[in-house]
Amino acid sequence: MFALLVLHLVMGIAIVAAGRQLGRQAFAVAAVAPLTTVIWAITQAGGVLDGEPVTESFSWVDGLGISLDLRLDAFALAMVAVVSGIGFLICLYALSYFKPHDPTTPVKSNVGRLAGTMTIFAGAMLGVVLSDHLIALFIAWELTSITSYLLIGNDDTNPRARAAALQAILITGMGGLVLLAGLTIVGQAAGTYRLSEIIENAPTTGSSTALNAGLICVLIGAFTKSAQAPFSSWLPGAMVAPTPVSAYLHSATMVKAGVYLVARMAPMFATEGNWRVVLLTVGAATMLIGGLRALRQHDLKLLLAYGTVSQLGFMMLLFGTGDDHIAQAGVVLLLAHGAFKAALFMVVGIVDHEVGTRDIRRLTGFGRGWRPTLVAGVVGAASMAGLPPLFGFISKEKALDGYIEHGDFIGSTVVLVVIVVASILTFAYSARFVLGLFGVFADSEFEASCDDAVDSHTAHAPSLQFVGPALFLSAFTLAAGCAPVIVDRLVEMATLALHPDAEPKPVHLWNGFNTAFMLSLVVIGTGTALTVFRSRVAATQSVTSKAIRLVPSSEQSFNFLLRGVGVVARRVTGLLQNGSLPIYVAVIMMVVTGVPLIAFAQEWTGFGDVIETPVHVVLVAMIIVAALGASIVRRRIAAALMLGAVGYAMAGLYVVQGAPDLALTQFAIETLSTVLFVLVLRYLPSTWTHRAPAIAAPMRIGVSVFVGVSVFVFALVASGARSDVSGPQQSEMMVENSLTKGKGSNVVNVILVDFRGWDTMGEITVLLVAAVGAVSLARGGRRRDELGPTFEEIFDFEPDGADGAVGDSESPASSLMSAAARRDEEGHA
């Protein structure tokens, strides 16, 4: 499994690098990765369906206990079939989709980049469904968001593509951050981050407000990724991407990541806290809103996009309840939706590619050569509508039967009514899709608002290679409906992977004249009526939309929030980033010292032995007087000397405390730094004046006192905490090993030379670089008569372009130093 993830990553990067040379053939190369995954999954299917998951584990960060744990069980196998199986068909489909009508027309240069990015996305999605570690799952989760952003905005010259990509990454990225917080809380509460171990020993919320909040964070992350209300606006906007991207990411794979996560965690947490209430409310609203919006669309692609939103809400209602019988219906819907929705997107792409439009008001029907395409579209739409004997009908029957027989929780009846109403809308917009393909709306007086209808009857018929992937998925939809034994074993074991104690029912096309079948008849009959009276329905929707226009849509809400964030960011930046260096330093120092002070103050035990010897009083007095002097005097060199006095007094403290080697080091550093200060400051004016307002001085004094007190408390608490730590201390280990391993009795020297030799070498290197720079500055500022003859003067050398005069022009460094010297003289004057 790990090799498959690496294969997708390496192949994706290679295809992106060679995209210009490969052109549309990059999709032929990209097809190798999902095909390899499908073949591997087939070889593992026997053991997995027998209840023996495939596991792999690779240590990542041993110190933190983080590892890359991969696990393929039956539910993951179902997701792999969707991700890699449909991914392989999408690659074959894209070979024809990106083929220009005119053979002389070059393929766009970004097609290869699209293929490579899609391959990386496929690997990231595999990482989501195969990860058994919450942190690894999150990393793959975020990679799907990033690659989706790149795929939506692949045409970076199109402003609509850039805006849609930005909207997608902002919404899903925000949800990803919330998800990280939720996964962290859940992992800490469970005592493990391995998903399989959490399933076995799931923590209960009980009175744990933190765990309940963590579960809500997980749901928010899943809602943003799976386009649930109110985060669904990014999915219709993403339809600006090429149709292969829409068919793969936004119908079959990426949008199911949130559904997948909910399916994994619902068996453990559905009855805990507010999980079920929040999920059922959001899922029901999403299913209804998506269906209503789909019924109004004239663009076939947008119709399918809003239909996808509705179906994703449907899946949330099935997987999120925590009931195994309802979850089994979710598994069936997951597989059925991936097949018929990908096929329908492919059909729309074929129409757009050959005719040049997706608007049903402009399509007038198709000729005989289009029959394979129409068959694929009709079968896919019929499955989406839930008509027998197709796979979509079985999924709807399973869902209705699950809620009727096992919906014994609060609100289940309301959810059942929502599913029935939304299924009626699904039937209606599926019929709208089919009628649009056959050109019915082009002759409708009410719907016709375009005078430029195209003659799609004469449009060039697509090749069999172009329509083949859609036909294959439609054939699978029909075969799985007529002979559900094809998927029965996979559905059963996938349900058991989610609910180990479940007793899944066999998947049948016909379960008799039960309540679920009667509700299906109601859905079909009512949906047919909506289709027959579609003009009146459209008029009612138009009036209703005007009535609720004051209520902002999700798109308007997103734009409002985006503008609001921009306004707030500008104002906050203008307030905090005002260009004042003293304010920046004050804020940084107060935060760095103030935040730890909260913890250190709680450990405060007193001052201890403040004075051990009278010499301490003298040395500390020198430090205080010199520090105050450095902040009071107005001459630069005097202030530098005061700072040096502070350092020398500290060296005296080291001597008194029995550390002469540290005192020698401190003395050398202070001498060097003081000399450097003097060498540099002599080129600046000797004095300076304060131009800050009167209120600045008290504020600076307050900040200084606060920082000083914080550091003082930290020093005392830290030194006193050494004796409170149980077990061997680092200092004791250094003393014990100094002579035996370092061959030296001077512990400090052994630490610097042996135990921390590389650190010491780095510090020496820094000092050497600083010394070289300081010497260069000092020599560059010396007067000409102090330097002696130059190279040109000694050898009487005339540079090219000179008229026999040497040194007429100064180097930039010399000019700078000369100007500084003149300012120094003016300051003294």
Side-chain angles (χ1 to χ4, degrees):
M1 290 183 285
F2 183 75
L4 290 174
L5 300 181
V6 174
L7 174 65
H8 280 79
L9 178 62
V10 173
M11 287 196 64
I13 295 174
I15 293 172
V16 170
R20 289 183 178 272
Q21 290 74 26
L22 293 174
R24 68 185 182 91
Q25 297 300 324
F27 283 98
V29 180
V32 174
L35 179 60
T36 304
T37 305
V38 170
I39 295 174
W40 173 83
I42 292 174
T43 62
Q44 304 297 320
V48 172
L49 295 181
D50 287 336
E52 300 176 359
V54 180
T55 59
E56 290 182 8
S57 181
F58 296 90
S59 179
W60 189 359
V61 183
D62 290 333
L64 299 178
I66 300 178
S67 59
L68 182 59
D69 300 313
L70 304 177
R71 189 172 186 267
L72 178 71
D73 58 11
F75 185 62
L77 181 65
M79 287 296 300
V80 169
V82 173
V83 173
S84 297
I86 295 180
F88 173 69
L89 295 176
I90 291 293
C91 289
L92 299 182
Y93 170 79
L95 286 172
S96 299
Y97 181 86
F98 290 105
K99 182 179 180 180
H101 290 284
D102 186 359
T104 61
T105 303
V107 180
K108 292 182 178 180
S109 59
N110 58 3
V111 171
R113 181 178 63 195
L114 185 74
T117 308
M118 189 178 293
T119 304
I120 299 175
F121 166 82
M125 193 64 198
L126 282 177
V128 171
V129 302
L130 294 177
S131 293
D132 194 34
H133 196 285
L134 295 181
I135 301 302
L137 184 149
F138 170 76
I139 293 173
W141 180 286
E142 288 299 280
L143 187 55
T144 61
S145 297
I146 296 172
T147 49
S148 175
Y149 165 78
L150 297 175
L151 289 168
I152 297 172
N154 187 64
D155 184 8
D156 50 12
T157 62
N158 185 355
R160 292 180 60 236
R162 296 198 302 269
L166 179 63
Q167 182 181 15
I169 193 66
L170 287 178
I171 293 178
T172 58
M174 178 273 293
L177 294 177
V178 178
L179 174 66
L180 177 60
L183 294 179
T184 303
I185 294 173
V186 171
Q188 290 297 113
T192 177
Y193 282 81
R194 293 195 63 176
L195 192 57
S196 57
E197 295 178 357
I198 296 176
I199 293 175
E200 296 176 358
N201 300 295
T204 58
T205 56
S207 60
S208 175
T209 305
L211 180 57
N212 192 26
L215 294 177
I216 298 300
C217 290
V218 171
L219 285 179
I220 292 176
F223 291 160
T224 57
K225 183 71 78 172
S226 290
Q228 300 295 291
F231 310 110
S232 57
S233 61
W234 71 266
L235 180 57
M239 292 302 109
V240 70
T243 301
V245 174
S246 302
Y248 189 40
L249 276 71
H250 307 132
S251 68
T253 53
M254 173 183 165
V255 289
K256 289 187 174 68
V259 174
Y260 170 82
L261 185 60
V262 167
R264 285 294 191 189
M265 304 194 76
M268 301 172 283
F269 303 113
T271 58
E272 299 292 335
N274 300 318
W275 173 286
R276 185 176 284 172
V277 174
V278 173
L279 189 139
L280 294 182
T281 302
V282 172
T286 303
M287 193 176 181
L288 288 174
I289 293 173
L292 289 170
R293 294 296 297 271
L295 199 55
R296 299 173 50 190
Q297 303 304 317
H298 299 294
D299 187 323
L300 289 175
K301 200 172 179 181
L302 280 178
L303 186 152
L304 294 180
Y306 283 107
T308 300
V309 172
S310 180
Q311 294 290 300
L312 291 171
F314 193 8
M315 293 180 204
M316 288 290 183
L317 294 178
L318 298 181
F319 281 116
T321 62
D323 182 86
D324 57 308
H325 296 89
I326 300 177
Q328 184 183 11
V331 175
V332 178
L333 180 61
L334 184 86
L335 298 173
H337 180 267
F340 68 66
K341 191 56 68 71
L344 291 174
F345 267 105
M346 291 180 185
V347 170
V348 173
I350 293 171
V351 172
D352 192 19
H353 183 273
E354 302 297 339
V355 181
T357 183
R358 304 187 301 256
D359 196 325
I360 58 177
R361 297 167 297 182
R362 301 181 61 193
L363 297 176
T364 58
F366 296 94
R368 296 173 58 89
W370 281 79
R371 288 182 179 176
T373 305
L374 296 178
V375 168
V378 170
V379 172
S383 181
M384 182 168 62
L387 290 177
L390 300 171
F391 201 13
F393 171 77
I394 297 178
S395 66
K396 184 185 64 178
E397 286 280 292
K398 274 285 185 182
L400 294 174
D401 181 71
Y403 266 93
I404 292 170
E405 298 294 332
H406 304 279
D408 54 356
F409 46 86
I410 298 176
S412 59
T413 304
V414 176
V415 175
L416 179 61
V417 174
V418 169
I419 292 176
V420 173
V421 173
S423 297
I424 294 172
L425 297 175
T426 302
F427 184 97
Y429 68 69
S430 300
R432 182 180 180 86
F433 180 90
V434 174
L435 295 176
L437 282 181
F438 283 94
V440 173
F441 293 106
D443 299 326
S444 173
E445 293 182 359
F446 180 83
E447 301 254 8
S449 60
C450 298
D451 298 329
D452 52 344
V454 298
D455 186 10
S456 52
H457 277 286
T458 60
H460 177 269
S463 63
L464 184 60
Q465 178 185 357
F466 199 0
V467 74
L471 280 174
F472 178 86
L473 290 173
S474 298
F476 169 78
T477 299
L478 179 60
C482 296
V485 67
I486 298 175
V487 298
D488 183 44
R489 182 63 174 169
L490 177 61
V491 171
E492 176 189 1
M493 297 308 298
T495 306
L496 288 173
L498 297 175
H499 300 266
D501 299 330
E503 296 179 358
K505 297 180 180 179
V507 179
H508 294 308
L509 174 63
W510 174 251
N511 293 302
F513 289 97
N514 54 15
T515 306
F517 181 73
M518 300 305 294
L519 288 177
S520 293
L521 293 181
V522 172
V523 169
I524 295 173
T526 310
T528 303
L530 290 180
T531 303
V532 172
F533 299 102
R534 57 186 176 276
S535 297
R536 296 182 182 179
V537 172
T540 303
Q541 281 189 300
S542 178
V543 174
T544 306
S545 63
K546 292 179 181 179
I548 62 175
R549 188 167 295 176
L550 296 177
V551 180
S553 63
S554 55
E555 294 87 347
Q556 292 171 333
S557 301
F558 171 79
N559 293 330
F560 174 78
L561 290 175
L562 193 61
R563 289 192 295 269
V565 170
V567 171
V568 173
R570 286 192 294 271
R571 293 183 177 179
V572 171
T573 301
L575 177 64
L576 300 180
Q577 303 292 328
N578 55 6
S580 173
L581 182 60
I583 292 179
Y584 293 167
V585 174
V587 171
I588 292 172
M589 294 301 296
M590 291 186 68
V591 171
V592 170
T593 57
V595 173
L597 180 63
I598 299 175
F600 291 135
Q602 298 175 357
E603 302 295 331
W604 175 266
T605 58
F607 291 96
D609 296 332
V610 180
I611 302 175
E612 297 179 359
T613 174
V615 181
H616 285 172
V617 178
V618 178
L619 293 174
V620 171
M622 292 176 57
I623 292 174
I624 294 175
V625 171
L628 290 175
S631 61
I632 294 175
V633 297
R634 292 292 178 266
R635 290 190 172 273
R636 300 179 189 274
I637 294 182
L641 295 177
M642 291 289 183
L643 289 178
V646 173
Y648 291 134
M650 286 295 301
L653 282 176
Y654 292 146
V655 173
V656 173
Q657 294 301 114
D661 45 1
L662 292 181
L664 181 61
T665 303
Q666 178 72 21
F667 183 85
I669 291 176
E670 286 301 328
T671 302
L672 178 61
S673 59
T674 303
V675 171
L676 292 178
F677 269 123
V678 172
L679 290 175
V680 174
L681 294 179
R682 69 192 184 107
Y683 296 107
L684 297 176
S686 59
T687 61
W688 71 80
T689 58
H690 287 292
R691 299 179 181 178
I695 195 175
M699 293 179 61
R700 292 175 178 175
I701 293 174
V703 171
S704 302
V705 171
F706 178 81
V707 173
V709 171
S710 300
V711 174
F712 176 74
V713 172
F714 166 73
L716 289 182
V717 173
S719 60
R722 293 181 179 179
S723 58
D724 298 334
V725 178
S726 60
Q729 299 187 27
Q730 189 67 23
S731 58
E732 296 176 356
M733 296 176 62
M734 293 291 183
V735 174
E736 293 175 0
N737 296 323
S738 175
L739 184 60
T740 58
K741 296 183 178 180
K743 307 303 179 183
S745 56
N746 190 317
V747 180
V748 175
N749 290 347
V750 172
I751 292 175
L752 295 177
V753 177
D754 295 309
F755 296 159
R756 297 183 57 189
W758 285 109
D759 292 346
T760 304
M761 190 180 73
E763 294 167 359
I764 292 173
T765 304
V766 171
L767 290 176
L768 287 176
V769 172
V772 171
V775 172
S776 300
L777 288 174
R779 288 183 59 83
R782 294 174 61 185
R783 293 191 298 271
R784 178 63 177 272
D785 55 0
E786 297 177 352
L787 295 175
T790 64
F791 176 85
E792 292 83 356
E793 292 172 341
I794 294 174
F795 294 97
D796 195 19
F797 175 74
E798 296 182 4
D800 293 339
D803 297 330
V806 178
D808 289 341
S809 62
E810 294 180 342
S811 66
S814 299
S815 301
L816 180 62
M817 288 302 179
S818 300
R822 288 193 297 270
R823 288 196 302 269
D824 186 33
E825 294 175 358
E826 293 172 359
H828 282 293

PDB file of all heavy atoms in Angstrom, residues 14 104 123 134 159 186 212 250 278 416 422 426 430 433 517 544 654 662 726 816:
ATOM      1  N   ALA A  14       6.446  13.438 -12.019  1.00  0.00           N
ATOM      2  CA  ALA A  14       7.096  13.226 -13.310  1.00  0.00           C
ATOM      3  C   ALA A  14       6.220  13.710 -14.456  1.00  0.00           C
ATOM      4  O   ALA A  14       6.710  14.329 -15.418  1.00  0.00           O
ATOM      5  CB  ALA A  14       7.438  11.747 -13.485  1.00  0.00           C
ATOM      6  N   THR A 104      -4.806  19.881 -36.549  1.00  0.00           N
ATOM      7  CA  THR A 104      -3.680  20.826 -36.606  1.00  0.00           C
ATOM      8  C   THR A 104      -3.629  21.737 -35.385  1.00  0.00           C
ATOM      9  O   THR A 104      -2.647  22.445 -35.181  1.00  0.00           O
ATOM     10  CB  THR A 104      -3.782  21.679 -37.871  1.00  0.00           C
ATOM     11  OG1 THR A 104      -5.010  22.446 -37.841  1.00  0.00           O
ATOM     12  CG2 THR A 104      -3.772  20.790 -39.116  1.00  0.00           C
ATOM     13  N   GLY A 123      -3.548   9.709  -5.442  1.00  0.00           N
ATOM     14  CA  GLY A 123      -2.735   9.149  -4.369  1.00  0.00           C
ATOM     15  C   GLY A 123      -3.126   9.695  -3.014  1.00  0.00           C
ATOM     16  O   GLY A 123      -3.165   8.962  -2.013  1.00  0.00           O
ATOM     17  N   LEU A 134      -4.813   8.890  12.579  1.00  0.00           N
ATOM     18  CA  LEU A 134      -5.572  10.111  12.381  1.00  0.00           C
ATOM     19  C   LEU A 134      -4.724  11.237  11.803  1.00  0.00           C
ATOM     20  O   LEU A 134      -5.194  12.020  10.971  1.00  0.00           O
ATOM     21  CB  LEU A 134      -6.197  10.557  13.709  1.00  0.00           C
ATOM     22  CG  LEU A 134      -7.251   9.624  14.304  1.00  0.00           C
ATOM     23  CD1 LEU A 134      -7.801  10.209  15.599  1.00  0.00           C
ATOM     24  CD2 LEU A 134      -8.372   9.366  13.317  1.00  0.00           C
ATOM     25  N   PRO A 159     -10.225  34.130 -14.953  1.00  0.00           N
ATOM     26  CA  PRO A 159     -10.528  34.676 -13.623  1.00  0.00           C
ATOM     27  C   PRO A 159     -11.559  33.850 -12.867  1.00  0.00           C
ATOM     28  O   PRO A 159     -11.467  33.729 -11.641  1.00  0.00           O
ATOM     29  CB  PRO A 159     -11.064  36.083 -13.933  1.00  0.00           C
ATOM     30  CG  PRO A 159     -10.555  36.401 -15.299  1.00  0.00           C
ATOM     31  CD  PRO A 159     -10.480  35.099 -16.032  1.00  0.00           C
ATOM     32  N   VAL A 186     -10.060  13.939  19.876  1.00  0.00           N
ATOM     33  CA  VAL A 186     -10.519  12.553  19.888  1.00  0.00           C
ATOM     34  C   VAL A 186      -9.360  11.601  20.178  1.00  0.00           C
ATOM     35  O   VAL A 186      -9.476  10.666  20.983  1.00  0.00           O
ATOM     36  CB  VAL A 186     -11.195  12.194  18.549  1.00  0.00           C
ATOM     37  CG1 VAL A 186     -11.489  10.703  18.468  1.00  0.00           C
ATOM     38  CG2 VAL A 186     -12.472  12.984  18.372  1.00  0.00           C
ATOM     39  N   ASN A 212     -16.943  16.208  23.249  1.00  0.00           N
ATOM     40  CA  ASN A 212     -18.125  16.589  22.481  1.00  0.00           C
ATOM     41  C   ASN A 212     -17.789  17.699  21.495  1.00  0.00           C
ATOM     42  O   ASN A 212     -18.212  17.670  20.332  1.00  0.00           O
ATOM     43  CB  ASN A 212     -19.240  17.034  23.427  1.00  0.00           C
ATOM     44  CG  ASN A 212     -20.574  17.171  22.717  1.00  0.00           C
ATOM     45  OD1 ASN A 212     -20.811  16.525  21.705  1.00  0.00           O
ATOM     46  ND2 ASN A 212     -21.435  18.017  23.247  1.00  0.00           N
ATOM     47  N   HIS A 250     -15.388  15.850  -8.052  1.00  0.00           N
ATOM     48  CA  HIS A 250     -16.573  16.457  -7.471  1.00  0.00           C
ATOM     49  C   HIS A 250     -17.836  15.633  -7.669  1.00  0.00           C
ATOM     50  O   HIS A 250     -18.937  16.150  -7.535  1.00  0.00           O
ATOM     51  CB  HIS A 250     -16.736  17.864  -8.061  1.00  0.00           C
ATOM     52  CG  HIS A 250     -15.504  18.681  -7.920  1.00  0.00           C
ATOM     53  ND1 HIS A 250     -14.951  19.405  -8.948  1.00  0.00           N
ATOM     54  CD2 HIS A 250     -14.664  18.837  -6.867  1.00  0.00           C
ATOM     55  CE1 HIS A 250     -13.849  19.994  -8.536  1.00  0.00           C
ATOM     56  NE2 HIS A 250     -13.648  19.669  -7.279  1.00  0.00           N
ATOM     57  N   VAL A 278     -26.887  17.206  15.083  1.00  0.00           N
ATOM     58  CA  VAL A 278     -26.227  18.102  14.136  1.00  0.00           C
ATOM     59  C   VAL A 278     -26.164  17.479  12.756  1.00  0.00           C
ATOM     60  O   VAL A 278     -26.487  18.119  11.738  1.00  0.00           O
ATOM     61  CB  VAL A 278     -24.803  18.444  14.646  1.00  0.00           C
ATOM     62  CG1 VAL A 278     -24.034  19.230  13.589  1.00  0.00           C
ATOM     63  CG2 VAL A 278     -24.877  19.233  15.939  1.00  0.00           C
ATOM     64  N   LEU A 416     -37.170  10.583   7.433  1.00  0.00           N
ATOM     65  CA  LEU A 416     -37.774   9.729   6.409  1.00  0.00           C
ATOM     66  C   LEU A 416     -38.625  10.553   5.448  1.00  0.00           C
ATOM     67  O   LEU A 416     -38.576  10.343   4.224  1.00  0.00           O
ATOM     68  CB  LEU A 416     -38.621   8.644   7.082  1.00  0.00           C
ATOM     69  CG  LEU A 416     -39.352   7.681   6.138  1.00  0.00           C
ATOM     70  CD1 LEU A 416     -38.347   6.914   5.282  1.00  0.00           C
ATOM     71  CD2 LEU A 416     -40.232   6.712   6.939  1.00  0.00           C
ATOM     72  N   ALA A 422     -37.089  14.671  -0.970  1.00  0.00           N
ATOM     73  CA  ALA A 422     -35.880  14.918  -1.756  1.00  0.00           C
ATOM     74  C   ALA A 422     -35.749  13.914  -2.895  1.00  0.00           C
ATOM     75  O   ALA A 422     -35.236  14.241  -3.973  1.00  0.00           O
ATOM     76  CB  ALA A 422     -34.656  14.862  -0.861  1.00  0.00           C
ATOM     77  N   THR A 426     -35.241  14.524  -6.785  1.00  0.00           N
ATOM     78  CA  THR A 426     -34.203  13.830  -7.552  1.00  0.00           C
ATOM     79  C   THR A 426     -34.787  13.247  -8.832  1.00  0.00           C
ATOM     80  O   THR A 426     -34.179  13.351  -9.918  1.00  0.00           O
ATOM     81  CB  THR A 426     -33.568  12.717  -6.706  1.00  0.00           C
ATOM     82  OG1 THR A 426     -33.017  13.276  -5.522  1.00  0.00           O
ATOM     83  CG2 THR A 426     -32.468  12.005  -7.484  1.00  0.00           C
ATOM     84  N   SER A 430     -33.667  14.530 -12.539  1.00  0.00           N
ATOM     85  CA  SER A 430     -33.136  13.499 -13.436  1.00  0.00           C
ATOM     86  C   SER A 430     -33.912  13.508 -14.752  1.00  0.00           C
ATOM     87  O   SER A 430     -33.318  13.405 -15.849  1.00  0.00           O
ATOM     88  CB  SER A 430     -33.238  12.122 -12.772  1.00  0.00           C
ATOM     89  OG  SER A 430     -32.502  12.073 -11.570  1.00  0.00           O
ATOM     90  N   PHE A 433     -32.826  16.391 -16.810  1.00  0.00           N
ATOM     91  CA  PHE A 433     -31.567  16.107 -17.499  1.00  0.00           C
ATOM     92  C   PHE A 433     -31.822  15.353 -18.806  1.00  0.00           C
ATOM     93  O   PHE A 433     -31.290  15.705 -19.859  1.00  0.00           O
ATOM     94  CB  PHE A 433     -30.658  15.289 -16.577  1.00  0.00           C
ATOM     95  CG  PHE A 433     -29.332  14.923 -17.178  1.00  0.00           C
ATOM     96  CD1 PHE A 433     -28.240  15.753 -17.026  1.00  0.00           C
ATOM     97  CD2 PHE A 433     -29.177  13.739 -17.880  1.00  0.00           C
ATOM     98  CE1 PHE A 433     -27.010  15.419 -17.580  1.00  0.00           C
ATOM     99  CE2 PHE A 433     -27.959  13.391 -18.436  1.00  0.00           C
ATOM    100  CZ  PHE A 433     -26.868  14.235 -18.285  1.00  0.00           C
ATOM    101  N   PHE A 517     -41.358  -0.092  -0.894  1.00  0.00           N
ATOM    102  CA  PHE A 517     -41.736  -0.119  -2.310  1.00  0.00           C
ATOM    103  C   PHE A 517     -42.911   0.827  -2.562  1.00  0.00           C
ATOM    104  O   PHE A 517     -42.954   1.506  -3.598  1.00  0.00           O
ATOM    105  CB  PHE A 517     -42.101  -1.540  -2.723  1.00  0.00           C
ATOM    106  CG  PHE A 517     -42.486  -1.662  -4.169  1.00  0.00           C
ATOM    107  CD1 PHE A 517     -41.523  -1.575  -5.162  1.00  0.00           C
ATOM    108  CD2 PHE A 517     -43.824  -1.848  -4.529  1.00  0.00           C
ATOM    109  CE1 PHE A 517     -41.886  -1.669  -6.500  1.00  0.00           C
ATOM    110  CE2 PHE A 517     -44.192  -1.947  -5.855  1.00  0.00           C
ATOM    111  CZ  PHE A 517     -43.215  -1.861  -6.847  1.00  0.00           C
ATOM    112  N   THR A 544     -41.290  31.897  -5.899  1.00  0.00           N
ATOM    113  CA  THR A 544     -40.723  31.592  -4.592  1.00  0.00           C
ATOM    114  C   THR A 544     -39.330  32.185  -4.429  1.00  0.00           C
ATOM    115  O   THR A 544     -38.974  32.710  -3.370  1.00  0.00           O
ATOM    116  CB  THR A 544     -40.671  30.075  -4.378  1.00  0.00           C
ATOM    117  OG1 THR A 544     -41.968  29.524  -4.577  1.00  0.00           O
ATOM    118  CG2 THR A 544     -40.181  29.734  -2.983  1.00  0.00           C
ATOM    119  N   TYR A 654      30.444  35.393  38.182  1.00  0.00           N
ATOM    120  CA  TYR A 654      30.911  34.054  37.835  1.00  0.00           C
ATOM    121  C   TYR A 654      32.145  33.676  38.655  1.00  0.00           C
ATOM    122  O   TYR A 654      32.296  32.524  39.092  1.00  0.00           O
ATOM    123  CB  TYR A 654      31.228  33.968  36.343  1.00  0.00           C
ATOM    124  CG  TYR A 654      30.015  34.071  35.456  1.00  0.00           C
ATOM    125  CD1 TYR A 654      30.103  34.695  34.216  1.00  0.00           C
ATOM    126  CD2 TYR A 654      28.791  33.546  35.843  1.00  0.00           C
ATOM    127  CE1 TYR A 654      29.001  34.800  33.395  1.00  0.00           C
ATOM    128  CE2 TYR A 654      27.693  33.641  35.031  1.00  0.00           C
ATOM    129  CZ  TYR A 654      27.792  34.275  33.804  1.00  0.00           C
ATOM    130  OH  TYR A 654      26.702  34.364  32.990  1.00  0.00           O
ATOM    131  N   LEU A 662      33.956  30.453  32.863  1.00  0.00           N
ATOM    132  CA  LEU A 662      32.842  31.240  32.351  1.00  0.00           C
ATOM    133  C   LEU A 662      33.119  32.735  32.481  1.00  0.00           C
ATOM    134  O   LEU A 662      32.759  33.525  31.603  1.00  0.00           O
ATOM    135  CB  LEU A 662      31.554  30.881  33.106  1.00  0.00           C
ATOM    136  CG  LEU A 662      30.977  29.478  32.877  1.00  0.00           C
ATOM    137  CD1 LEU A 662      29.704  29.299  33.673  1.00  0.00           C
ATOM    138  CD2 LEU A 662      30.708  29.247  31.398  1.00  0.00           C
ATOM    139  N   SER A 726      12.293  14.380  39.778  1.00  0.00           N
ATOM    140  CA  SER A 726      12.673  13.032  40.181  1.00  0.00           C
ATOM    141  C   SER A 726      13.462  12.369  39.070  1.00  0.00           C
ATOM    142  O   SER A 726      13.262  12.656  37.891  1.00  0.00           O
ATOM    143  CB  SER A 726      11.416  12.209  40.495  1.00  0.00           C
ATOM    144  OG  SER A 726      10.573  12.131  39.354  1.00  0.00           O
ATOM    145  N   LEU A 816      30.628  55.759   1.749  1.00  0.00           N
ATOM    146  CA  LEU A 816      29.727  55.657   2.892  1.00  0.00           C
ATOM    147  C   LEU A 816      30.455  56.028   4.175  1.00  0.00           C
ATOM    148  O   LEU A 816      29.945  56.774   5.004  1.00  0.00           O
ATOM    149  CB  LEU A 816      29.169  54.239   2.971  1.00  0.00           C
ATOM    150  CG  LEU A 816      28.199  53.956   4.125  1.00  0.00           C
ATOM    151  CD1 LEU A 816      26.956  54.831   3.988  1.00  0.00           C
ATOM    152  CD2 LEU A 816      27.831  52.485   4.151  1.00  0.00           C
TER     153      LEU A 816
END
